[in-house]
Amino acid sequence: MKVILPGDKISDSPVRTENAIVENGKTYATVMGMLDESRGAFIPLESIWYPREGDFAVGIIENSKNNVYTVALESPFRGLILPPPRPRFGGRGRFGDRGRPPMQEERREIMHIGDVVSVFVKEVKREADQVILILDRPKRLFGGKLMEVRSSKVPRIIGKDSTMLRQLEDGTRCTILVGLNGLIWLKGENVPLAQKAIWKIQEEAHVSGLTERITELLAGNDNGNSNNEGR
Amino acid sequence: MGGSQDKPQLIIDGKRTDGRAPGELRPIKIEAGVVKNAKGSAYLEWGNNKVLAAVYGPKEAQPKHIADPNKAIIKCRYQMAPFSSLEEHNRSGPNRRAIEISKVTKEVFENVILLDDFPGCEIDVFVEVLQSDGGTRAAGITAAAVAVASSGIPMRDIPYAVSAGKAGDSILLDLNKLEDNYSDADMPVAIAPREGEILLLQMDGNLTKEQTIQALDMIKKAGETIVKIQRDALEAKYR
Amino acid sequence: MVGENEEYMLELLGKGKREQERDKMQYRDIKIEMGKIPHAEGSAQVDIGDTRVLAGVKIAVGAPLPDKPDEGALITGAELLPLASSTYEPGPPTPEAIEFARVVDRGIRAAEVVDLKSLFIEEGKVWSTFVDIYVLNYDGNLFDAGTLASTAALLSARMPKYEDGNVIREGNLGKLKTSGKVTSCTFAKVGNTILLDPSGNEEKVMAGRMTIANDENVIRAMQKGLRGAFSYSELSSMMDTTFDKSKQLRDILNKAVGE
């Protein structure tokens, strides 16, 4: 494995891949990363979360206007939760279509500015003057603690097949929701320990033997580690 | 650039006032990731210059009317601290010099950052000169380049900058403040090293074409050293 | 400013052509009118194509800079007047206007157009020379027009007298003492093409800009602007073109100031 910096050549041929550009038929990295030459894989060490359909994220309600919520996601783009579509009625009742009392199924949770929510990206919408993220399945998260990590480290915090995340949840008796945007919501018995473990993963994601060190930490055997000077 | 009055000898027996050879850089040290809140940052010491650079964003451009619907815009602020200079107290806030340097610094990063990935967004590049001793715009660009690279904001190359100048008939690399005050020319240059592209070039004083080329060659050669220091600073985080 | 759109400009340049069938390294018509503002100590209006700038020089008594007690001061400003283009807005000077003024200033200063030593009056008192550039109509290449207008205005400026604490600006006056001359050549990079003296439409599509100010065979100031990059060989050939084309600018300048 080799550390690659932006501008370094990662292939002599044009390769369409994330975190790289093709110039004059050659491929160059655009972010820091590790190149696994045997597999030809380029794994970014730092990157910006570029939202995709279906991405899970955690955010904070920033604004609410005309039944549309704006969600701060620590993302380059604004996230919006749109009102659910109204059920259509055939005829015009005496209330008209407007003054009608809300039906049960279209009612949704009322959210307030500052509330923490988990959402899914439904659509990355290119508008005339900006990109907006249409969000759906919003869920209000009550209490708990919100923390921020570098979004490039999220895959390590979740781990392969969510193994790391499960280990964290079990070891701290916490519920942990990890947004791909780098915002993490934690609630449960030992939130400080969970945070400590997550920080450790963030700082040492590139150093091998991470899983063992996290196991140790969660077991209460963290006798200082040369790679972790604490925060 | 100065008048001829009380002009000190800038070169004696082939050595400069601080003992350097004409083509020698001052010592440079860079540390990446020093501002925790920023997406990317770097602290740089270059001779007696001390510079802090940080990058924020991409985020929704504010105010909205300055947003570019097709790509991100860069906001750049270069500033010298009121206490940064050995001589006088600098008034804080941007003066005309700082506004121009902010502009040309911004243009360097407009070239290397992949702005098209983030329509409607802004990326903020801050350069704070804490102590100054000549060549601060080059130091600022070199530091900011490391800050951007450490941020994960996609870029096509990591630029570096350094100045070259002239004293008498000698071309000198990396002028310090004293040399800058009494030199016959000063030419800060920023380069994208991968293809050797010139991203910033300013000059005032007097140079012939041959001297300009000689200065550029010196800058190119110094680039090898500076690029290595930038790389080491970035890789040090992952060793 | 109504003009051709960007695609058209790029297509035209792609075919190796320029508006008004200009060659890549050809200036538009250049005209200098001297003494437009008799109240100013010196003034000159320069037209390059449809770009028009007016430079005015005022000379006033002031304090020297602390580090140059025996020299007068040179202060250069530029205003992109809102009346000169629909893209200019009222307000404090923009970074573009500041860069413009500072690049012109560096050329004039480096070429020692004004003999600053001659501006010493007495201890703590010197003449300050103010050069102000007004853009009256924008159609590209402000830098060359600004440098030409400022140099011409300075070369023709009257020198006020200081007598018994009074400044005398009229009557039998000598001229501001000048020693050098400077002109500049500005290039635009559009795609991979380099053009001398970009028009407003060309500036709309240019990626990079390079200004080289010279005085005979000596380069006095350079400034690269905007996002685009230049290679070493491009810079080298722009220097050669500057040495060549500046002869034309210098002839026009000399004729205008009567030399």
Side-chain angles (χ1 to χ4, degrees):
Chain A
M1 296 280 260
K2 188 169 137 196
V3 174
I4 294 288
L5 300 186
D8 286 354
K9 191 166 68 184
I10 54 175
S11 172
D12 279 316
S13 49
V15 181
R16 290 223 159 270
T17 172
E18 277 180 51
N19 303 307
I21 45 158
V22 173
E23 276 183 24
N24 304 320
K26 298 182 171 61
T27 309
Y28 300 92
T30 57
V31 300
M32 288 187 74
M34 309 284 274
L35 184 63
D36 184 344
E37 276 156 315
S38 58
R39 292 192 301 133
F42 180 55
I43 305 125
L45 285 164
E46 301 292 347
S47 63
I48 305 295
W49 175 55
Y50 203 95
R52 257 155 239 265
E53 241 171 75
D55 279 2
F56 177 76
V58 174
I60 301 167
I61 300 290
E62 194 177 45
N63 207 347
S64 138
K65 206 169 147 191
N66 303 331
N67 222 5
V68 174
Y69 294 104
T70 311
V71 186
L73 291 167
E74 293 297 324
S75 146
F77 309 117
R78 177 195 291 245
L80 296 181
I81 303 172
L82 304 177
R86 282 168 187 282
R88 290 183 67 91
F89 286 89
R92 289 199 190 99
R94 54 189 264 259
F95 290 106
D97 221 18
R98 289 190 155 260
R100 178 177 51 78
M103 303 286 289
Q104 193 65 30
E105 55 272 22
E106 76 171 276
R107 205 180 284 157
R108 66 171 170 181
E109 214 166 358
I110 304 292
M111 292 177 281
H112 301 280
I113 291 170
D115 284 352
V116 178
V117 288
S118 72
V119 290
F120 287 86
V121 177
K122 187 182 174 194
E123 193 188 347
V124 180
K125 199 169 178 184
R126 179 97 200 226
E127 300 255 290
D129 59 343
Q130 63 181 346
V131 175
I132 54 170
L133 308 177
I134 307 295
L135 308 172
D136 73 349
R137 288 180 273 163
K139 219 180 123 200
R140 241 182 106 179
L141 304 173
F142 295 91
K145 162 83 187 161
L146 195 63
M147 70 182 286
E148 189 182 347
V149 297
R150 301 179 82 86
S151 57
S152 51
K153 307 299 175 196
V154 165
R156 295 306 303 271
I157 294 165
I158 295 172
K160 207 176 171 195
D161 300 326
S162 302
T163 44
M164 182 70 89
L165 182 58
R166 222 171 296 135
Q167 194 187 352
L168 288 171
E169 287 191 316
D170 292 348
T172 61
R173 293 175 179 280
C174 284
T175 304
I176 305 175
L177 299 181
V178 185
L180 290 177
N181 56 336
L183 288 182
I184 299 178
W185 180 81
L186 314 95
K187 191 177 182 178
E189 205 172 288
N190 201 343
V191 170
L193 180 62
Q195 279 194 285
K196 196 174 169 187
I198 289 169
W199 276 322
K200 195 177 175 72
I201 298 169
Q202 170 166 260
E203 296 308 314
E204 301 176 22
H206 58 287
V207 184
S208 60
L210 180 67
T211 312
E212 290 74 33
R213 292 198 300 283
I214 295 302
T215 309
E216 295 247 299
L217 175 74
L218 295 176
N221 301 329
D222 180 42
N223 301 326
N225 184 303
S226 58
N227 283 308
N228 181 17
E229 268 130 41
R231 332 205 344 168
Chain B
M1 281 278 311
S4 46
Q5 91 207 56
D6 308 327
K7 189 170 171 171
Q9 278 286 106
L10 292 182
I11 300 200
I12 301 165
D13 297 333
K15 292 261 185 224
R16 295 156 70 173
T17 51
D18 55 6
R20 280 185 290 156
E24 194 177 335
L25 280 169
R26 287 174 282 180
I28 303 172
K29 265 195 331 210
I30 309 177
E31 190 186 345
V34 290
V35 180
K36 287 278 179 252
N37 281 344
K39 200 146 263 168
S41 61
Y43 173 70
L44 169 146
E45 289 187 1
W46 183 318
N48 293 323
N49 290 314
K50 298 180 196 296
V51 176
L52 196 56
V55 180
Y56 284 81
K59 58 188 182 193
E60 207 176 318
Q62 292 293 348
K64 233 174 140 33
H65 72 266
I66 66 164
D68 183 328
N70 297 313
K71 59 177 195 291
I73 58 163
I74 297 180
K75 287 186 188 165
C76 177
R77 188 175 86 150
Y78 159 101
Q79 185 173 256
M80 266 167 105
F83 46 74
S84 62
S85 137
L86 193 55
E87 287 94 26
E88 284 162 66
H89 171 258
N90 303 318
R91 248 180 328 134
S92 59
N95 55 24
R96 291 164 63 88
R97 173 181 173 277
I99 291 169
E100 187 197 350
I101 294 177
S102 300
K103 180 178 185 288
V104 293
T105 300
K106 177 188 80 156
E107 289 164 352
V108 167
F109 288 98
E110 282 174 345
N111 183 279
V112 292
I113 294 178
L114 303 189
L115 301 173
D116 297 354
D117 287 1
F118 305 103
C121 291
E122 71 175 68
I123 294 167
D124 301 335
V125 177
F126 300 111
V127 174
E128 297 289 339
V129 178
L130 306 178
Q131 182 169 292
S132 63
D133 189 25
T136 57
R137 84 194 63 186
I141 289 166
T142 301
V146 172
V148 177
S150 71
S151 72
I153 295 172
M155 65 199 301
R156 43 186 288 277
D157 204 1
I158 304 175
Y160 72 88
V162 62
S163 81
K166 185 171 89 165
D169 288 331
S170 311
I171 300 298
L172 304 180
L173 182 71
D174 183 20
L175 305 185
N176 64 27
K177 183 72 186 151
L178 176 83
E179 292 173 325
D180 187 23
N181 284 348
Y182 296 101
S183 68
D184 298 297
D186 180 28
M187 182 170 84
V189 174
I191 304 275
R194 173 150 61 83
E195 308 287 345
E197 298 161 303
I198 300 170
L199 304 185
L200 170 143
L201 185 144
Q202 298 178 289
M203 193 286 276
D204 68 328
N206 74 80
L207 286 180
T208 63
K209 188 190 170 190
E210 289 65 36
Q211 289 167 334
T212 307
I213 300 286
Q214 197 189 333
L216 275 173
D217 287 343
M218 216 177 235
I219 284 166
K220 205 174 181 179
K221 184 139 188 302
E224 293 167 20
T225 310
I226 302 167
V227 163
K228 186 166 183 316
I229 296 166
Q230 289 176 309
R231 285 197 83 94
D232 286 348
L234 288 163
E235 288 176 10
K237 281 182 73 190
Y238 295 98
R239 229 171 255 139
Chain C
M1 190 169 44
V2 178
E4 278 78 7
N5 64 31
E6 290 189 16
E7 269 170 52
Y8 170 79
M9 288 303 298
L10 290 171
E11 196 186 302
L12 189 67
L13 293 166
K15 287 189 216 151
K17 288 204 161 72
R18 257 180 120 171
E19 288 175 302
Q20 297 171 6
E21 309 220 282
R22 240 195 320 158
D23 286 340
K24 281 179 193 162
M25 294 300 154
Q26 187 187 351
Y27 267 103
R28 293 167 288 178
D29 288 342
I30 303 174
K31 203 168 87 191
I32 307 183
E33 268 187 75
M34 302 301 299
K36 292 283 281 189
I37 311 295
H39 281 185
E41 270 70 67
S43 64
Q45 179 172 295
V46 168
D47 291 348
I48 300 183
D50 287 338
T51 282
R52 171 169 290 175
V53 305
L54 170 67
V57 172
K58 288 301 292 178
I59 302 174
V61 176
L65 293 170
D67 56 332
K68 304 247 169 77
D70 59 348
E71 283 186 13
L74 172 70
I75 298 112
T76 309
E79 292 254 10
L80 309 182
L81 300 179
L83 66 75
S85 163
S86 59
T87 60
Y88 294 165
E89 308 230 0
T94 58
E96 286 69 28
I98 289 169
E99 180 189 31
F100 171 33
R102 288 178 60 84
V103 172
V104 172
D105 182 275
R106 285 201 287 268
I108 295 171
R109 200 177 289 276
E112 292 169 17
V113 173
V114 181
D115 180 355
L116 295 176
K117 287 256 174 11
S118 73
L119 300 178
F120 179 77
I121 303 172
E122 60 188 49
E123 201 177 314
K125 258 195 194 102
V126 295
W127 293 105
S128 297
T129 307
F130 296 89
V131 180
D132 283 285
I133 307 163
Y134 260 40
V135 177
L136 303 183
N137 193 62
Y138 166 76
D139 189 21
N141 197 8
L142 293 179
F143 286 31
D144 295 356
T147 299
L148 204 50
S150 303
T151 307
L154 286 166
L155 290 174
S156 65
R158 306 184 292 271
M159 188 65 215
K161 282 185 202 159
Y162 187 73
E163 281 176 9
D164 309 323
N166 295 315
V167 176
I168 297 159
R169 298 183 186 275
E170 286 174 289
N172 196 11
L173 297 173
K175 283 181 99 183
L176 171 68
K177 200 170 169 211
T178 57
S179 47
K181 279 179 197 167
V182 69
T183 58
S184 71
C185 291
T186 293
F187 302 85
K189 188 168 179 179
V190 183
N192 284 319
T193 309
I194 292 183
L195 306 170
L196 178 66
D197 179 30
S199 68
N201 280 333
E202 288 165 345
E203 290 197 346
K204 268 198 262 176
V205 295
M206 72 179 165
R209 186 193 65 226
M210 182 74 79
T211 299
I212 303 176
N214 71 312
D215 166 9
E216 306 278 352
N217 286 324
V218 179
I219 299 169
R220 294 295 185 175
M222 288 192 271
Q223 179 91 346
K224 190 239 131 186
L226 309 185
R227 178 182 181 180
F230 290 91
S231 70
Y232 286 31
S233 64
E234 285 168 340
L235 177 63
S236 173
S237 75
M238 285 185 285
M239 287 193 271
D240 291 337
T241 306
T242 300
F243 292 135
D244 178 29
K245 291 290 172 182
S246 61
K247 290 178 199 144
Q248 178 194 345
L249 298 174
R250 196 170 259 263
D251 284 347
I252 295 168
L253 176 66
N254 285 342
K255 235 174 252 155
V257 299
E259 284 178 28

